[in-house]
């Protein structure tokens, strides 16, 4: 088995301290990015969007917030009539924990897909997910958001004028969503990392084609 070099505890601590200095620099850079993100302008969403909730009821865009001020939407790749389940979206959803900590900070997280609710329900029951999952079937919400696949939007609700105004403040996809996953963040701390070919790993480290080892949870 190819493995890292074995050294003394003192040598390991010295190498660890050197890496820690770089990690702290990276943390400060992420803090600076978050500060810029909080200062981004936003765009008002003025259409009367309608969605179907898990219970079959129709809800408006402001109602998605469930009384909270901030909303995070994960745009799940589930199209109408789709006969396969996106492994990336499914494994991302597997990483979502309880929302009490988000809710306590006036924030809600939901899933959104183009598929009708009856198709979403089959997936939800199969996977046992409890994350609120809404359908945008028949509407133009996804198109107006410029979606071409999966992604993550952040919305802000302001009712200070007496009427609900909703704004889109942030969007990310691809690696921007990857960095939010607990499993990937944990694997990035291990010697072998995610074990994918794109990673810069030492010669002989286990590596596989990107995403080739990701499966639906009940298919491993």
């Amino acid at each position: 088995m190819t493995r890292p070099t074995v050294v003394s505890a003192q040598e390991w601590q010295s190498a660890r301290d050197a890496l820690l200095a770089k990690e702290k620099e990276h943390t400060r850079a992420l803090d600076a990015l978050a500060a810029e993100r909080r200062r981004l302008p936003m765009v008002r969403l003025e259409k009367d969007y309608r969605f179907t909730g898990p219970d079959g009821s129709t809800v408006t865009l402001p109602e998605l917030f469930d009384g909270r001020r901030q909303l995070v939407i994960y745009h799940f790749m589930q199209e109408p009539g789709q006969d396969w389940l996106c492994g990336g979206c499914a494994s991302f959803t597997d990483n979502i924990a309880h929302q009490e900590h988000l809710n306590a900070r006036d924030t809600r997280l939901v899933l959104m897909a183009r598929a009708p609710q009856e198709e979403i329900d089959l997936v939800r029951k199969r996977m046992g997910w409890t994350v609120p999952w809404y359908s945008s079937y028949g509407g133009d919400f996804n198109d107006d958001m410029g979606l071409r696949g999966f992604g993550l939007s952040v919305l802000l609700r302001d009712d200070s004028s007496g009427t609900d105004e909703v704004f889109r403040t942030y969007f990310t996809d691809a690696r921007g969503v990857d960095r939010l996953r607990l499993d990937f963040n944990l694997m990035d701390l291990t010697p072998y990392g995610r074990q994918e070919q794109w990673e810069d790993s030492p010669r002989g480290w286990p590596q596989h084609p990107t995403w080739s080892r990701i499966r639906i949870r009940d298919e491993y």
Side-chain angles (χ1 to χ4, degrees), residues 33 35 43 47-48 54 82 103 136 146 150 179 215 220:
L33 278 174
V43 59
K47 284 189 179 181
D48 183 22
Q82 184 172 305
N103 296 164
S136 60
F150 72 93
R179 73 175 184 81
R215 300 284 187 273
Y220 279 111

Side-chain angles (χ1 to χ4, degrees), residues 26 39 60 100 178 204:
H26 177 65
R39 289 167 173 78
T60 64
E100 284 80 1
D178 276 5

Side-chain angles (χ1 to χ4, degrees), residues 201-215:
S201 295
R203 183 182 298 275
W205 256 227
Q207 288 186 301
H208 307 271
T210 301
W211 286 103
S212 66
R213 304 185 77 193
I214 293 289
R215 300 284 187 273

Side-chain angles (χ1 to χ4, degrees), residues 67-69 157-167:
R68 296 178 175 84
R69 190 170 303 280
R157 183 179 65 89
D158 182 3
D159 61 356
S160 60
S161 64
T163 60
D164 279 315
E165 293 183 289
V166 176
F167 306 87

Side-chain angles (χ1 to χ4, degrees), residues 14 19 21 28 38 58 60-61 65 74 82 87 92 95 106 119-120 133 155 161 169 177 182 188 194 197-198 201:
S14 177
L19 180 61
R28 288 190 289 269
R38 290 190 292 272
T58 299
T60 64
L61 184 56
F65 288 75
Y74 179 75
Q82 184 172 305
F92 176 89
N95 277 265
D106 215 11
E119 296 178 12
I120 289 174
W133 193 350
L155 309 185
S161 64
T169 66
V177 175
L182 176 62
D188 286 343
R194 303 185 197 182
Q197 289 177 342
W198 64 268
S201 295

Side-chain angles (χ1 to χ4, degrees), residues 89-97 127 129 215-217:
C89 291
S91 54
F92 176 89
T93 305
D94 285 336
N95 277 265
I96 297 176
M127 305 307 298
W129 293 325
R215 300 284 187 273
I216 308 303
R217 188 177 70 241

